[in-house]
């Protein structure tokens, strides 16, 4: 039970950090950000995606790219996919990358 609480607290902490990254990158403390918020609805421009990528990498000590969240290959499909990325998608990718850094050792 304690491990589950730690995981939930860690996910909540990740969400709060991502919220602050988004608010800081966009220069707006008044943004309402929820896990289901589509990033494009926050008024992001292409340069903002790069800024957020850099901030996420620095905050979580992971290698990250929005391309990791895009499942299609064609340029038109990539643009459509980027428009659908939610904060939850970003959180899931961060947690997956963080989990990859912590690999169990076998004896």
């Amino acid at each position: 039970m304690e491990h589950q609480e730690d995981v939930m607290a860690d996910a909540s902490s990740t969400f709060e950090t991502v919220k602050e990254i988004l608010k800081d990158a966009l220069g707006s403390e008044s943004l309402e950000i929820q896990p289901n918020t589509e990033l494009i609805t926050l008024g992001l421009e292409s340069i903002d995606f790069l800024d957020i990528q850099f901030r996420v990498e620095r905050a979580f000590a992971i290698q990250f790219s929005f391309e990791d969240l895009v499942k299609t290959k064609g340029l038109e499909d990539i643009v459509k996919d980027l428009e659908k990325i939610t904060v939850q998608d970003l959180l899931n990718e961060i947690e997956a990358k963080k989990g990859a850094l912590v690999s169990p050792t076998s004896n």
Side-chain angles (χ1 to χ4, degrees), residues 90-104:
L90 181 57
L91 293 172
N92 293 343
E93 186 67 22
I94 290 168
E95 290 300 325
K97 299 278 185 178
K98 285 172 39 182
L101 294 177
V102 182
S103 60

Side-chain angles (χ1 to χ4, degrees), residues 34-53:
Q34 299 300 321
N36 64 344
T37 301
E38 292 180 348
L39 295 181
I40 202 76
T41 64
L42 298 175
L44 294 173
E45 297 180 10
S46 57
I47 193 72
D48 295 322
F49 281 98
L50 292 173
D51 184 29
I52 292 166
Q53 176 180 331

Side-chain angles (χ1 to χ4, degrees), residues 6-54:
D6 290 344
V7 170
M8 289 174 56
D10 190 44
S12 175
S13 173
T14 299
F15 175 63
E16 292 303 318
T17 301
V18 167
K19 262 183 20 178
E20 290 307 311
I21 287 170
L22 292 170
K23 287 179 178 185
D24 191 45
L26 294 169
S28 177
E29 287 298 315
S30 63
L31 286 174
E32 290 294 323
I33 300 172
Q34 299 300 321
N36 64 344
T37 301
E38 292 180 348
L39 295 181
I40 202 76
T41 64
L42 298 175
L44 294 173
E45 297 180 10
S46 57
I47 193 72
D48 295 322
F49 281 98
L50 292 173
D51 184 29
I52 292 166
Q53 176 180 331
F54 173 73

Side-chain angles (χ1 to χ4, degrees), residues 39-107:
L39 295 181
I40 202 76
T41 64
L42 298 175
L44 294 173
E45 297 180 10
S46 57
I47 193 72
D48 295 322
F49 281 98
L50 292 173
D51 184 29
I52 292 166
Q53 176 180 331
F54 173 73
R55 290 171 189 252
V56 164
E57 288 180 335
R58 189 172 49 190
F60 296 102
I62 60 172
Q63 291 292 315
F64 170 77
S65 171
F66 279 98
E67 292 172 5
D68 296 339
L69 298 174
V70 177
K71 308 292 186 246
T72 54
K73 301 293 181 205
L75 181 58
E76 185 176 309
D77 290 335
I78 289 172
V79 171
K80 287 178 185 176
D81 280 356
L82 281 174
E83 290 176 351
K84 295 176 187 173
I85 293 173
T86 66
V87 172
Q88 186 64 54
D89 295 329
L90 181 57
L91 293 172
N92 293 343
E93 186 67 22
I94 290 168
E95 290 300 325
K97 299 278 185 178
K98 285 172 39 182
L101 294 177
V102 182
S103 60
T105 57
S106 57
N107 291 340

